[in-house]
Amino acid sequence: MIKLLFVCHGNICRSPMAEFVMKDLVQKAGLAEQFHIESAATSTEEIGCSVYQPARNKLAEHGIRCDGKTARQLRRADYKTWDLLIGMDRANLRNMERICGGDPLGKLRLLMSFAGSSREVADPWYTGDFDATWRDVLKGCEGLLKTLEQEGRLTR
C-alpha cells in the first residue's frame, strides 16, 4: 500500500484538489487498492471546514467529487504513517519540515517536482485562478503516478 498525503496551507483548495485528482487517476488506472490518499493543512485556520466551493466546482467540472472532506492539520506522527508528504509550495515544505521535526527519510516533496518542474502550485485562494491550479495539480499527480510506476512500486 502506497500512502500519499498532499499538504497545503489550509487544506481547502490545493491539497484536497490533489487528493481527489490522485484518487481519480488511480481509480481509472485500476490501481486504487494499492493506495491510501489523503490531504492536510500546515495551518489551523480552516480546520473542520469543507473544501472551498470554487475548488469543489473545479473538481466537479471534471467529474470528481470531494463530499465529506474537511480540513485537518498535519501532525508530527504523520511523518511515520505516510510514504510521501507532498507540499504545494516551498512555504508548505518549510512548515511540513517544522511540524514533522525534519525530513530524515526524504519523504517531503514538492508536487510539481514529479512533473519535472521546480515551480510551485499557485494558491487559488489568492490568485482566483482555479484553472491554473487544476492544470498544475493534474500534471503533478500524473507525474507522481508515472514516477511510482517507473520505480516499480505498483503492481499491474
Side-chain angles (χ1 to χ4, degrees):
M1 174 86 44
I2 299 169
K3 297 176 184 173
L4 305 175
L5 184 66
F6 294 97
V7 181
C8 70
H9 181 77
N11 193 214
I12 61 168
C13 294
R14 295 174 293 171
S15 61
M17 286 176 75
E19 172 186 348
F20 289 97
V21 165
M22 192 68 183
K23 285 178 177 179
D24 186 62
L25 289 174
V26 300
Q27 180 69 38
K28 288 176 177 171
L31 301 168
E33 70 282 350
Q34 296 182 53
F35 285 88
H36 182 80
I37 303 166
E38 291 183 22
S39 62
T42 59
S43 77
T44 59
E45 295 168 24
E46 303 291 346
I47 302 305
C49 292
S50 297
V51 176
Y52 187 48
Q53 192 62 51
R56 295 172 69 85
N57 294 346
K58 184 52 61 183
L59 289 169
E61 283 178 27
H62 297 276
I64 300 172
R65 299 178 61 112
C66 58
D67 300 339
K69 170 64 185 172
T70 57
R72 76 154 179 98
Q73 188 178 27
L74 178 69
R75 298 175 300 268
R76 183 176 289 255
D78 286 327
Y79 191 83
K80 292 178 185 174
T81 303
W82 300 93
D83 297 315
L84 287 171
L85 296 88
I86 304 161
M88 301 296 122
D89 62 38
R90 286 174 192 80
N92 299 152
L93 287 179
R94 283 190 301 274
N95 287 327
M96 291 161 64
E97 190 168 344
R98 179 184 47 77
I99 292 167
C100 293
D103 184 21
L105 302 176
K107 294 181 175 190
L108 306 182
R109 302 281 301 274
L110 195 63
L111 179 61
M112 292 306 291
S113 70
F114 295 103
S117 175
S118 61
R119 284 189 312 104
E120 300 175 321
V121 177
D123 192 341
W125 178 265
Y126 299 105
T127 68
D129 192 347
F130 285 85
D131 291 325
T133 300
W134 166 264
R135 288 190 300 270
D136 282 349
V137 164
L138 180 60
K139 188 174 183 179
C141 288
E142 287 172 341
L144 173 56
L145 185 56
K146 185 177 180 180
T147 298
L148 294 171
E149 288 175 321
Q150 289 172 342
E151 291 175 349
R153 295 179 68 179
L154 303 175
T155 330
R156 290 258 183 197

